[in-house]
Every structure is written in C-alpha cells, then in structure tokens.
Amino acid sequence: MKDKLESIKKAFQEDLVSCDTAERIEEIRVKYLGRKGAIADITKNLSSVPNEEKSAIGKAVNVLKNKISETLEEKQKAFTSSTKKKDRIDVTFEGIRRNIGSIHPLTITLERINEIFMHLGFRIAEGPEVETEFNNFEALNIPLDHPSRDAFDTFYLGKNMLLRSHTSTVQIRIMKKKKPPIQAIMPGRVYRPDASDAAHSFMFHQVEGLMVDKDIKFSDLKGILNIFAKQMFGEDVKLRFRPSFFPFTEPSAEVDLSCIICGGKGCSVCSGSGWLEILGAGMVNPKVFKKVGYDPEKYSGFAFGMGVERIAMLKYGISDIRLFFENDVRFLKQF
Ligand code: PHE
C-alpha cells in the first residue's frame, strides 16, 4: 500500500511537468482526484489493509490527496493570473498611430472648379485620353502644318490615334452628339511630350468650358469667368483679356488674373507685371460649328480652357509642378 502511494506521488510529480494549459490541469485533477481517480481507487482498497495499519495509511492517503489538490489549485491560480495579464488592455500604453490619407491638392482644386461651374449651370462631361487626330486637330480647325501636329509635340499612337493634347476634344464629342443648348465643363488629363521642369510636365490636367446657344456673346464669357475667378481666388481679384489666337476660337483671348500675391503692384511671382496668365478663351470659330454640323448663323458660343496645375500652384503658392506627381507624403500631407 505504501509503495502504491509512493508511485502515485511520483506519477503526479511527472504529470505536473507537462501541466501548462487549463485543460491539462483539469485532466490531471480527474486522473488523481476524480471519482475513478487514483486516490478514490486506493481509498476503496483501504478495507484490505490490516487494522493496525489502517489509520496510518488512511492519514497518508489524506495527506497526499490534500497535497495534490493544493498543488493543482495553485497551478490553476498561477495560470489564470498569467493569462489575465496577457489579455488585459493597458490603456496607458501608447497606441500605433494610423496614417490617415489626405486629398491630393489637384483633386481639391479640380473639385472646387467643378463646384463653381456646376453652381453656374454647367454640367460635367468627360472624354477618352486616347483620341483621334480628327477630334484633337481637324475638327478644331488646327491646320496640318500647325506645329502641335508634329510628332515631336504630340504623343502619336500609330496612325490617326494619339494621346489628346488638350481637352478641347470633348467639345467636339459633345457637339457631334447633341444639339444646343450646351453648357458643360470638361475636366481631364492631357499629354504633351515636354521635358519636365518646374513649369512643365508631359501629363497635366485641364478643364475646358463650352457654352453654345442662340445669342451667346463675348460678354457672357467675361461674366462667367469673372465669377469663377472671384469664387476661386477671392472677391478682390480682377481679370484682364488680351487678344490672342487659337484656331478653334475667333476672336480669342488670353486671360490674366491680377496677381494674388501683390494685388497687381508687381512682385517676383508676376515678374513685376502685376498679372498672371491663367487661361485661354474665345468665341467658338464658325469653322468648328460647321465641322460638327451646327449652323453658325443660328448658334454662337464660347469656350475656355485652363490648366488645373496652374490654378493649384497659384492658389497654394506651389513653385514646382513636379511636386504634384512625386507622391512625397511630406508634400501631400499639407493639404
Ligand atoms: N485648348 C487650349 C489649350 O490647350 C485652351 C483653350 C480652350 C483656348 C478653349 C481657347 C478655348 O491651350
């Protein structure tokens, strides 16, 4: 009997070594203290022990039983407190900060331009970046010998197809599809194989505007662009229209904004002139109307086109166009 008690004690010690999960503690408890466990088994056989030894053996069984029970209880306690520690959330611990993105300055600028014109009744229209030579040049009255038609100034994609060099192509698409009245702006990417520097990029964004109906006049163009300039840059700005030339508008104008840095007095940003060029505009050339099947005697209209990068650079005081496309978060997170 004594030997049996010894071997139970030894087996228990051995089992303790592998006792590292809650399930294992329970398993061991059942094995020794359960109804059919080792202690119950030995208690059952106590009757076969000679009377004079009974009380000593009985005591020894009890001592072992208590010892096993205490040891397991301690194990259980140590185990639960250590898992609790692991699961507990330390609210004073510094967290992992997630980087939150911000809206790209070109998107902010484009959305603001869209919003201003939408309030003035313009719809937004889009067209593909891969265009036909007809939509990019011919329909817009750009002659065959015009320098922009040269492969050097335009990305050609094989015969008659190219990456559009301006969003004026969308004017043609709209007018071919729909009769006047038309009042739309056309934002999008355009491509010109310019070497990139602080002022040039081979890809940039434009917003074209087009309004066609009976009796649209140059004064309508001036009125709309004045409202746009004031909403975009502030009530104090002025616009100046300088005579210019575009094959698809007649008359044409280059439009300048009074310098938003010096207010027109002359500074380094406006090269002392007090004015900043911001867009091209004019009355739609009757030759363009004929190309799309409109009667130039019946309809008139204006068109304008501006560079989104240029507007954003003026608005935010950005001096290098390449910053928009470098994806440097130190630049992007300022907006
Ligand atoms: N398409 C011209 C450009 O890319 C801009 C423009 C548009 C000028 C509409 C007049 C009218 O430079």
Side-chain angles (χ1 to χ4, degrees):
M1 215 48 168
K2 263 194 183 142
D3 291 349
K4 198 147 191 215
L5 271 179
E6 264 323 297
S7 74
I8 290 173
K9 210 181 202 172
K10 221 169 140 207
F12 176 68
Q13 297 294 349
E14 272 163 24
D15 280 340
L16 264 188
V17 179
S18 66
C19 178
D20 54 1
T21 63
E23 292 83 52
R24 185 75 187 125
I25 294 173
E26 179 58 13
E27 221 174 83
I28 295 171
R29 201 190 60 76
V30 172
K31 179 171 171 188
Y32 294 95
L33 305 177
R35 267 194 306 124
K36 291 178 182 161
I39 297 292
D41 188 46
I42 212 168
T43 315
K44 235 187 274 160
N45 294 328
L46 219 52
S47 52
S48 62
V49 173
N51 273 346
E52 59 275 20
E53 283 177 38
K54 239 183 208 155
S55 88
I57 298 278
K59 225 182 220 166
V61 171
N62 257 340
V63 168
L64 181 60
K65 184 179 163 187
N66 291 338
K67 177 92 188 129
I68 290 176
S69 156
E70 264 166 38
T71 312
L72 287 177
E73 225 163 83
E74 261 163 40
K75 263 266 183 228
Q76 181 76 42
K77 253 191 222 154
F79 182 75
T80 38
S81 75
S82 81
T83 49
K84 259 193 203 140
K85 230 180 249 160
K86 228 193 287 165
D87 290 346
R88 209 162 47 196
I89 294 167
D90 180 355
V91 290
T92 66
F93 199 76
E94 198 185 339
I96 301 164
R97 212 176 281 277
R98 294 214 180 274
N99 283 325
I100 296 172
S102 55
I103 300 175
H104 194 283
L106 286 179
T107 307
I108 300 174
T109 308
L110 187 55
E111 281 179 355
R112 181 72 189 124
I113 296 171
N114 289 347
E115 184 182 47
I116 295 169
F117 282 108
M118 283 197 306
H119 283 158
L120 292 168
F122 285 75
R123 284 169 179 240
I124 295 176
E126 284 180 310
E129 290 167 25
V130 174
E131 262 294 3
T132 60
E133 204 176 9
F134 179 83
N135 284 349
N136 199 77
F137 294 128
E138 249 148 86
L140 288 159
N141 191 38
I142 300 174
L144 256 179
D145 59 2
H146 193 278
S148 67
R149 282 221 181 185
D150 198 286
F152 200 68
D153 287 302
T154 301
F155 285 111
Y156 279 88
L157 305 167
K159 219 172 181 296
N160 300 329
M161 296 303 283
L162 44 82
L163 292 179
R164 66 181 176 193
S165 59
H166 50 185
T167 43
S168 305
T169 52
V170 192
Q171 285 187 36
I172 302 302
R173 287 179 170 269
I174 296 180
M175 291 194 285
K176 278 200 290 199
K177 234 175 46 205
K178 194 182 166 305
K179 292 272 155 252
I182 285 169
Q183 194 182 0
I185 53 165
M186 296 145 265
R189 288 199 185 102
V190 300
Y191 301 84
R192 295 177 195 178
D194 289 328
S196 64
D197 61 25
H200 296 89
S201 167
F202 62 87
M203 184 282 296
F204 58 98
H205 299 74
Q206 284 191 332
V207 175
E208 183 101 1
L210 176 69
M211 189 161 174
V212 183
D213 202 350
K214 288 170 188 151
D215 290 328
I216 299 288
K217 297 185 277 297
F218 201 92
S219 54
D220 296 317
L221 169 65
K222 286 182 89 171
I224 292 280
L225 289 180
N226 262 305
I227 294 170
F228 165 72
K230 286 181 192 300
Q231 301 233 338
M232 192 74 203
F233 294 105
E235 277 303 310
D236 298 335
V237 298
K238 287 194 194 73
L239 288 184
R240 177 174 81 170
F241 289 69
R242 269 183 298 115
S244 184
F245 174 78
F246 297 105
F248 35 93
T249 48
E250 184 59 35
S252 302
E254 211 95 50
V255 182
D256 300 334
L257 177 76
S258 57
C259 180
I260 49 173
I261 307 296
C262 64
K265 286 189 206 76
C267 67
S268 62
V269 173
C270 58
S271 319
S273 72
W275 296 96
L276 301 159
E277 190 191 316
I278 57 162
L279 55 88
M283 300 307 287
V284 179
N285 193 321
K287 287 182 182 160
V288 174
F289 281 152
K290 279 188 193 147
K291 292 267 186 198
V292 297
Y294 282 9
D295 180 357
E297 298 296 325
K298 201 167 157 194
Y299 297 113
S300 58
F302 64 72
F304 59 84
M306 66 182 92
V308 182
E309 282 78 358
R310 173 101 178 121
I311 304 283
M313 285 165 89
L314 292 174
K315 178 107 184 130
Y316 295 115
I318 297 164
S319 56
D320 194 321
I321 195 171
R322 290 169 291 196
L323 287 166
F324 291 122
F325 309 117
E326 281 170 350
N327 275 341
D328 186 335
V329 287
R330 289 169 304 178
F331 169 73
L332 296 174
K333 73 180 179 193
Q334 295 176 57
F335 299 93

